[in-house]
Amino acid sequence: MALKATINKVSLSLSDMDNHKYQDYSFTVAQHPSETDQRMMLRILAFALNANEQLEFTKGLCADDEPELWQKSLSDEIELWIELGLPDEKRIKKACNRAEQVLLYTYGEGDQSVWLDKNQNKLHNYSNLTCISIKASESQQLATLAARSMRFTVTIQDGQVWFNSDDTSVMVEPITIQTSTK
């Protein structure tokens, strides 16, 4: 018998001072049985950094042809494709061909620099791709906030993202490692 996804409820009060966005969001995040708390929390971080009424979580790990999050236009064109991890170049190419803008949030223990060195030349071919690194220590701290029901106050200022729950604060400082321009 197959394991079912865990449904997590999230209440997020966002104050993005860098982009002048102030809004409350409530949503559910389905966590695939093979998905770690770290990866799920990175999806929530990506949502907070790109918050928009049209931004949606997708099937994620369950679908090869969809990103983790996306924003579509009213005519169903993909405006924003958000990917996590260290994907192969074919997946990046597919994303860049299908979407106006692609954001890749990399994370992991030391693998990020090896992956970037290996793919650096290929990544420059995509004018609509931005790669953002999340430090392993920060993503691990973020994972400690995972729960079935989560309530966060998220403050974004000067490039720092503060996740505050009732009794814990975690700071994440995403670092842009690659912005492609042709």
Side-chain angles (χ1 to χ4, degrees), residues 54-168:
Q54 289 78 38
L55 187 63
E56 310 177 328
F57 290 93
T58 65
K59 294 177 185 171
L61 291 174
C62 298
D64 289 338
D65 60 341
E66 293 182 0
E68 301 306 320
L69 296 107
W70 62 15
Q71 178 181 319
K72 289 186 169 184
S73 68
L74 296 175
S75 57
D76 208 35
E77 294 161 336
I78 303 170
E79 296 174 332
L80 177 62
W81 179 294
I82 298 176
E83 194 73 39
L84 294 178
L86 305 171
D88 63 24
E89 197 264 337
K90 287 180 184 178
R91 184 153 177 90
I92 293 170
K93 180 179 181 179
K94 179 181 183 177
C96 289
N97 287 335
R98 291 186 60 196
E100 288 177 34
Q101 181 184 8
V102 177
L103 296 178
L104 170 61
Y105 290 91
T106 65
Y107 68 99
E109 298 275 346
D111 298 9
Q112 292 182 62
S113 59
V114 172
W115 178 87
L116 186 61
D117 289 343
K118 178 182 170 190
N119 292 287
Q120 185 87 38
N121 292 335
K122 297 173 190 170
L123 297 177
H124 282 293
N125 293 328
Y126 306 110
S127 61
N128 58 339
L129 173 66
T130 301
C131 298
I132 300 160
S133 174
I134 307 298
K135 292 178 188 170
S137 59
E138 293 174 357
S139 63
Q140 290 165 357
Q141 285 182 324
L142 200 56
T144 65
L145 300 177
R148 294 287 302 271
S149 180
M150 296 173 270
R151 179 177 231 87
F152 299 118
T153 301
V154 177
T155 305
I156 302 172
Q157 185 174 15
D158 299 329
Q160 294 181 334
V161 184
W162 286 91
F163 268 76
N164 297 298
S165 66
D166 292 333
D167 56 352
T168 309

Side-chain angles (χ1 to χ4, degrees), residues 1-47:
M1 188 160 126
L3 297 173
K4 294 183 179 182
T6 301
I7 303 301
N8 301 286
K9 294 182 184 266
V10 180
S11 175
L12 192 142
S13 180
L14 179 67
S15 296
D16 183 346
M17 292 178 226
D18 291 348
N19 296 300
H20 308 290
K21 292 181 191 174
Y22 308 93
Q23 191 159 349
D24 294 333
Y25 297 91
S26 291
F27 50 87
T28 58
V29 178
Q31 184 177 8
H32 190 274
S34 67
E35 183 177 30
T36 64
D37 287 345
Q38 181 182 29
R39 190 171 190 286
M40 179 193 65
M41 291 303 297
L42 285 169
R43 289 195 293 144
I44 295 170
L45 170 66
F47 180 90

